[in-house]
């Protein structure tokens, strides 16, 4: 029992975002009363609708508002009538940078009863975590273009990393690996055979920090192209992976598929010293909006991740266990929208009641 109270900013967002967030909240409320802490919510209307109405994505004043919260819980952002990139850059990336959410945490876990496209692999084989650096690299936007539209056009987009940005991510990853306490292995994923400057910086930092402070953790390295092969062939090889931003973006989508798809994949954009944001990885799925057919499990798991990061690890584990048990029971027919054998709300009820 913690007797604590947390203020959570809610961004339901677009499409099916509000529906899945509601089910996430149902489950959060169930664990909070069981484990004796309080969750206070305040809703924010950032997303396509507000953008189309006002032209605003995430105003600077809003950033100051959400900084006062303990955490942020997001449904989904994206709408077919808004040009791709506007909301992604204007809301999601702006938030990451403004709140310095420098870690992207993506647990990759195949729950019992969930189908994976990997033949002969089961829950004991697919259970690892990807820690993606979340504010540096190519995402910083350093670069430019000249003579645009001419045959001589030149464009650059530069992978930028400082020692400080690499080191804080690597340190977080070692701490996480130690706390997770499974195989105690931290695999750095990069491409240092070609990216000789940035790769070298990551490799040296991984080794130096590991040798000095984390001798209990096994150090390991994969090139990113090879890692995509191992994800499919031998996922059981991994415990915790740490990687730079764009590589992490790519490999975590592959990872989502081997854990059963976007219906179950959740993630956190974390500032370990500040305000973090948690979200289901699936998008706003516009065509399923309001039909009670979208899978809320990813949002429910994102809630668990949020509680774990807030320090309510027992409550987080209780959600994880409930999800695992319900999936093992076979009551949910599929993780795909419309094929679940029950509705969005019914899955939320099922998990909440089993807590
Ligand atoms: C993700 C997304 C974002 C990213 C997009 C929407 C900007 O793909 O969270 O992985 O590239 O990081
Ligand atoms: Mn992505």
């Amino acid at each position: 029992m913690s007797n604590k109270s947390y203020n959570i900013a809610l961004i339901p967002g677009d499409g099916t975002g509000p529906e899945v967030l509601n089910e996430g909240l149902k489950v959060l409320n169930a664990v909070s009363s069981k484990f004796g802490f309080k969750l206070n919510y305040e809703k924010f209307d950032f997303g396509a609708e507000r953008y189309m109405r006002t032209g605003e994505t995430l105003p600077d004043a809003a950033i100051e508002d959400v900084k006062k919260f303990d955490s942020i819980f997001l449904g989904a952002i994206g709408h077919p009538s808004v040009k791709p990139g506007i909301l992604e850059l204007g809301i999601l990336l702006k938030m990451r940078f403004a709140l310095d959410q420098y870690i992207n945490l993506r647990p990759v876990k195949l729950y019992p009863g969930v189908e994976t496209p990997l033949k002969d692999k089961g829950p004991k084989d697919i259970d690892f975590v990807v820690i993606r650096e979340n504010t540096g690299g190519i995402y910083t936007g350093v670069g430019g273009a000249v003579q645009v539209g001419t045959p001589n056009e030149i464009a650059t987009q530069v992978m930028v990393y400082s020692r400080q940005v690499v080191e804080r991510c690597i340190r977080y990853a070692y701490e996480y690996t130690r706390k997770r306490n499974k195989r105690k292995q931290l695999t750095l994923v990069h491409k240092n055979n070609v990216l000789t400057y940035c790769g070298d910086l990551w490799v040296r930092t991984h080794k130096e920090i590991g040798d000095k402070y984390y001798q209990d953790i096994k150090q390991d390295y994969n090139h990113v192209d090879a890692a995509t092969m191992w994800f499919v062939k031998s996922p059981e090889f991994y415990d915790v992976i740490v990687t730079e931003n764009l590589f992490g973006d790519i490999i975590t989508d592959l990872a989502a598929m081997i854990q059963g798809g976007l219906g179950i994949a959740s993630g956190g954009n974390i500032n370990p010293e500040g305000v973090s944001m948690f979200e289901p990885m699936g998008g706003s799925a516009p065509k399923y909006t309001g039909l009670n057919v979208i899978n809320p499990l990813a949002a429910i798991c994102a809630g668990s991740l949020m509680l774990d990061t807030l320090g309510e690890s027992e409550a987080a584990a209780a959600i994880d266990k409930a999800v695992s048990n319900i999936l093992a029971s076979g009551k949910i027919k599929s993780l795909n929208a419309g094929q679940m054998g029950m509705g969005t709300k019914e899955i939320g009820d099922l998990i909440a009641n089993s807590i």
Side-chain angles (χ1 to χ4, degrees):
M1 289 284 173
S2 65
N3 292 318
K4 282 193 184 147
S5 166
Y6 303 95
N7 297 323
I8 311 294
L10 301 178
I11 307 179
D14 306 315
T16 52
E19 291 168 61
V20 296
L21 198 73
N22 268 339
E23 302 316 308
L25 294 177
K26 216 183 250 176
V27 174
L28 283 175
N29 291 336
V31 286
S32 71
S33 43
K34 176 158 178 186
F35 289 88
F37 56 90
K38 205 165 171 299
L39 296 169
N40 312 305
Y41 305 111
E42 193 176 319
K43 235 181 232 180
F44 291 83
D45 67 349
F46 311 121
E49 200 268 326
R50 174 167 174 159
Y51 172 71
M52 292 189 284
R53 192 161 35 86
T54 67
E56 275 179 340
T57 47
L58 186 66
D60 293 338
I63 303 231
E64 292 312 308
D65 277 347
V66 295
K67 274 186 187 165
K68 297 177 201 130
F69 286 78
D70 294 304
S71 202
I72 306 167
F73 195 24
L74 175 104
I77 297 285
H79 193 279
S81 46
V82 179
K83 216 173 99 202
I86 293 181
L87 301 171
E88 291 88 337
L89 279 161
I91 300 179
L92 299 173
L93 292 184
K94 185 165 177 185
M95 185 109 70
R96 281 182 200 173
F97 285 104
L99 300 180
D100 202 16
Q101 293 164 339
Y102 60 87
I103 298 294
N104 193 308
L105 188 68
R106 276 279 292 106
V108 182
K109 178 168 163 174
L110 180 68
Y111 287 97
V114 174
E115 209 178 308
T116 173
L118 301 188
K119 188 165 165 280
D120 301 331
K121 298 293 178 190
K124 66 171 191 342
D125 304 305
I126 302 173
D127 183 6
F128 61 93
V129 175
V130 180
I131 293 169
R132 160 187 173 192
E133 199 291 318
N134 209 32
T135 55
I138 286 174
Y139 279 73
T140 50
V142 173
V146 293
Q147 304 199 41
V148 177
T150 75
N152 298 326
E153 177 169 349
I154 296 171
T156 62
Q157 201 111 28
V158 185
M159 181 181 278
V160 182
Y161 270 110
S162 67
R163 168 76 191 213
Q164 182 257 338
V165 165
V166 173
E167 185 168 326
R168 67 181 181 174
C169 177
I170 294 268
R171 282 178 180 268
Y172 180 92
Y174 273 115
E175 279 301 322
Y176 189 94
T177 310
R178 183 180 273 168
K179 197 165 155 236
R180 174 171 153 94
N181 199 22
K182 289 218 164 135
R183 291 181 42 221
K184 294 193 141 198
Q185 169 184 282
L186 181 61
T187 304
L188 170 64
V189 165
H190 213 290
K191 181 77 186 172
N192 73 333
N193 52 346
V194 174
L195 302 181
T196 47
Y197 304 118
C198 281
D200 184 51
L201 174 58
W202 277 88
V203 166
R204 269 187 290 110
T205 310
H206 179 244
K207 180 169 185 340
E208 281 170 28
I209 299 296
D211 287 353
K212 196 157 174 196
Y213 304 106
Y214 299 94
Q215 287 162 14
D216 53 323
I217 309 294
K218 187 169 165 250
Q219 297 174 23
D220 175 50
Y221 174 86
N222 280 174
H223 292 320
V224 63
D225 48 351
T228 63
M229 298 197 302
W230 298 127
F231 272 26
V232 174
K233 191 173 187 316
S234 314
E236 66 278 7
F237 184 76
Y238 295 108
D239 179 22
V240 181
I241 290 173
V242 64
T243 191
E244 73 86 40
N245 205 342
L246 182 63
F247 293 158
D249 180 46
I250 296 166
I251 67 174
T252 52
D253 271 16
L254 175 59
M257 288 301 121
I258 70 174
Q259 72 180 124
L262 292 175
I264 192 75
S266 61
N269 296 273
I270 296 175
N271 177 340
E273 299 88 33
V275 185
S276 304
M277 183 177 86
F278 299 85
E279 57 179 339
M281 298 316 297
S284 57
K287 68 175 173 183
Y288 297 122
T289 305
L291 301 176
N292 196 40
V293 297
I294 194 82
N295 191 336
L297 286 174
I300 291 169
C301 291
S304 165
L305 211 51
M306 178 171 81
L307 291 184
D308 197 46
T309 309
L310 286 170
E312 296 293 344
S313 44
E314 272 184 64
I319 296 179
D320 194 67
K321 186 120 203 299
V323 169
S324 185
N325 288 341
I326 296 286
L327 285 168
S329 77
K331 284 188 187 124
I332 300 172
K333 298 288 165 243
S334 155
L335 296 188
N336 299 334
Q339 300 165 21
M340 304 174 317
M342 60 178 86
T344 308
K345 290 184 184 143
E346 288 66 39
I347 293 185
D349 289 339
L350 200 58
I351 307 281
N353 294 336
S354 79
I355 297 251

